[in-house]
Amino acid sequence: MNERPHFDLVAIGGGFAGLCTAVRGAELGLRTAVLEAGTDESYLCSSRWAGGIFHVSYHDVKLSPEELLAAINRQTSGETDQELAVAIAADAGRTVDWLASHGAAFTQASPIGWHRFTLAPPRLPVAGQDWQGRGPDRLLSELRQQLQELQGRLFLGTRAASLRLQQGQVIGVTAQQNSKMVDVSAANVVIADGGFPGSAELFRKYIGPRPDRVLMRHAGTAIGDGLKMAADAGAALVGLDRFYGHLLSRDAMANAVLWPYPQIDAVATASIVVERRGDRFLDEGLGGISITNDLARLDDPLCATVICDTPIWETAGKTAQIPPNPQLLAGGGTLHQADAIEALAVVAGLPPENLAATVAEYNDAVRFNRLTTLLPERSTRSGAPKRIETPPFFAIPICAGITNTMGGIAIDEHGPVKRPDGSAIARLYAAGGSTGGLEGGGALGYVGGLIKACVFGLRVAEHAAGQRHRAADI
Ligand SMILES: Cc1cc2nc3c(=O)[nH]c(=O)nc-3n(C[C@H](O)[C@H](O)[C@H](O)COP(=O)(O)OP(=O)(O)OC[C@H]3O[C@@H](n4cnc5c(N)ncnc54)[C@H](O)[C@@H]3O)c2cc1C
């Protein structure tokens, strides 16, 4: 790269958010570039590791905008930025069409309706890392190829360090490239660095005290650079204490075959989760994302064990696309088993009498419909709870896995970054995992990382092209 190349639109980060922005911008006549910190041709990012399912709050992306908006509002209990939710609902369908016309191959990866738009080829239904040659990996290559054909640039090994500002207006980026600093001039900059799931410092600041005891269920490359740059430029930051993630075998902390799959969420939400004394301590009925967030906030996030019986293990244990039954054992994970709860407690290292009392109290509450009298209360958002009564019984030590942060930089519905007073920071955008406002809230509502990255990638490019802030203007 020359010392001071000029671009109309520069993306910080080469995941789906950054590449969609750059390709769409180039298509609309902008001189675009992507600065990507990774040095490898297959540079790691969450986009490359994704399961590849495009959905909107677990609904088919081709439903009507009204249906999708209702789904987002249900999932988030209405605690979503309505402008952003409307944007996703309006653009989800045309975004997958745009991707399909730019090399994405979609397949119905399972009988589940909202798996209709899964990038092909999908992951194999086995435990562990399996991203090479899968749909997301292929689509990233396709988008790179198209960027090149449209004369856009992707600079590998180029880590954005700070925004260049002049009188409050963004005029480019300073980046580290091959151990030297370079200034890149840009009429518009989009932060697309994936958020901060990989930053222990920001995790400690916003989420919980022990990031070292939470599984980093992602590529490790989104470390909050963009969040800090945006904050320095005066951006509002929203909802930073919430993240999207899943429950995994505790063995995943030391065994890479046990993550990012199988997830233990369905079993945990159908059963009970106890801490080291054998007591319940959270509401399992709120679902896997909620339990994962609860665990991640603890001083001792590795304290939890799921207790279930055979019917639960044979049903909920087999429901996921990559189910823990049998992938937990196949991946080398711990599944304690015994014919009585006291005996199970002994093998799982839990106090037998207390665990037996906890299970008995829970079973009574289920039998006599007294779930609200339990401490903590057991809600039914994730389904009707079942008694734990049919041997053999099982105990699964679990951990919390953070996939991506839900909060981040505040944007408006076209992607411009907002200040706390709602005004836009001129020529600064954000897209994808780096942004906040759409997801999270009290209900920890999830909308979908892929659709969020791609919808706002396209929107940013289209808005910037509409403004025609060309490099010559600055
Ligand atoms: C295991 C897993 C499975 C998933 N499955 C799904 C799924 O099935 N469906 C779904 O909707 N979502 C899924 N997600 C979430 C989804 O993948 C992400 O939300 C989405 O890909 C985020 O895209 P992004 O472009 O914003 O960020 P990323 O893909 O994280 O890309 C950010 C890029 O920015 C680069 N970068 C970081 N800092 C800098 C810097 N300072 N300068 C330059 N470059 C920088 C990084 O190297 C990285 O390449 C999954 C995620 C994971 C980890």
Side-chain angles (χ1 to χ4, degrees), residues 72-441:
I72 296 172
N73 277 322
R74 267 196 312 276
Q75 186 66 25
T76 60
S77 298
E79 289 182 57
T80 176
D81 181 321
Q82 286 298 313
E83 281 189 348
L84 305 184
V86 167
I88 293 276
D91 281 11
R94 71 135 178 148
T95 296
V96 293
D97 288 344
W98 183 88
L99 289 168
S101 66
H102 289 74
F106 290 106
T107 185
Q108 174 91 48
S110 83
I112 297 169
W114 56 270
H115 288 186
R116 183 152 79 102
F117 285 91
T118 303
L119 289 171
R123 288 181 54 97
L124 296 175
V126 294
Q129 323 277 334
D130 173 36
W131 54 266
Q132 273 162 315
R134 301 287 159 220
D137 184 27
R138 287 197 186 180
L139 180 57
L140 284 169
S141 301
E142 285 284 346
L143 291 173
R144 258 185 87 170
Q145 177 72 28
Q146 307 215 1
L147 183 62
Q148 207 173 338
E149 284 166 14
L150 290 161
Q151 315 303 323
R153 307 288 306 275
L154 183 136
F155 298 102
L156 291 178
T158 306
R159 181 178 174 186
S162 57
L163 295 171
R164 298 173 58 219
L165 295 160
Q166 207 171 63
Q167 291 159 358
Q169 181 163 297
V170 173
I171 59 163
V173 177
T174 299
Q176 182 168 1
Q177 191 182 52
N178 300 327
S179 71
K180 67 174 184 189
M181 302 308 285
V182 292
D183 283 340
V184 183
S185 292
N188 301 278
V189 172
V190 55
I191 295 171
D193 72 332
F196 64 93
S199 165
E201 173 204 343
L202 295 175
F203 185 101
R204 252 185 240 106
K205 185 167 177 185
Y206 297 114
I207 297 171
R210 296 304 300 260
D212 56 318
R213 295 189 174 196
V214 172
L215 190 109
M216 297 295 131
R217 187 183 176 267
H218 52 78
T221 51
I223 51 177
D225 288 348
L227 190 89
K228 291 177 185 166
M229 286 181 226
D232 288 347
L237 307 177
V238 287
L240 300 176
D241 61 338
R242 305 287 160 135
F243 68 88
Y244 171 73
H246 290 288
L247 300 170
L248 299 158
S249 164
R250 197 184 301 160
D251 300 316
M253 297 295 294
N255 175 2
V257 179
L258 288 168
W259 69 276
Y261 306 94
Q263 303 159 357
I264 316 294
D265 298 34
V267 182
T269 55
S271 340
I272 60 171
V273 178
V274 300
E275 36 73 297
R276 295 187 196 279
R277 285 165 306 187
D279 291 330
R280 288 181 60 250
F281 63 108
L282 45 76
D283 182 354
E284 299 88 347
L286 292 176
I289 300 175
S290 174
I291 300 173
T292 307
N293 273 260
D294 282 353
L295 290 185
R297 286 177 216 297
L298 300 175
D299 290 335
D300 181 14
L302 295 176
C303 69
T305 302
V306 173
I307 306 293
C308 71
D309 68 354
T310 292
I312 293 172
W313 183 240
E314 291 300 328
T315 53
K318 290 185 170 170
T319 54
Q321 214 182 341
I322 302 173
N325 183 2
Q327 293 301 327
L328 174 66
L329 284 176
T334 301
L335 179 71
H336 299 297
Q337 178 175 336
D339 284 335
I341 293 292
E342 289 85 347
L344 182 72
V346 171
V347 288
L350 297 165
E353 278 182 21
N354 204 29
L355 183 66
T358 299
V359 172
E361 186 191 14
Y362 176 77
N363 283 345
D364 274 357
V366 175
R367 180 179 292 114
F368 300 112
N369 199 15
R370 288 199 312 251
L371 293 170
T372 52
T373 65
L374 286 171
L375 274 178
E377 190 175 315
R378 171 62 156 88
S379 59
T380 54
R381 182 177 172 176
S382 62
K386 306 264 186 326
R387 294 196 293 271
I388 300 168
E389 58 185 8
T390 308
F393 300 101
F394 300 100
I396 309 168
I398 54 170
C399 69
I402 176 170
T403 307
N404 44 266
T405 38
M406 286 182 171
I409 304 164
I411 56 170
D412 82 10
E413 75 266 38
H414 299 293
V417 171
K418 294 199 293 192
R419 295 192 182 83
D421 67 5
S423 64
I425 298 177
R427 305 183 175 196
L428 181 62
Y429 296 86
S434 66
T435 65
L438 178 69
E439 303 175 292

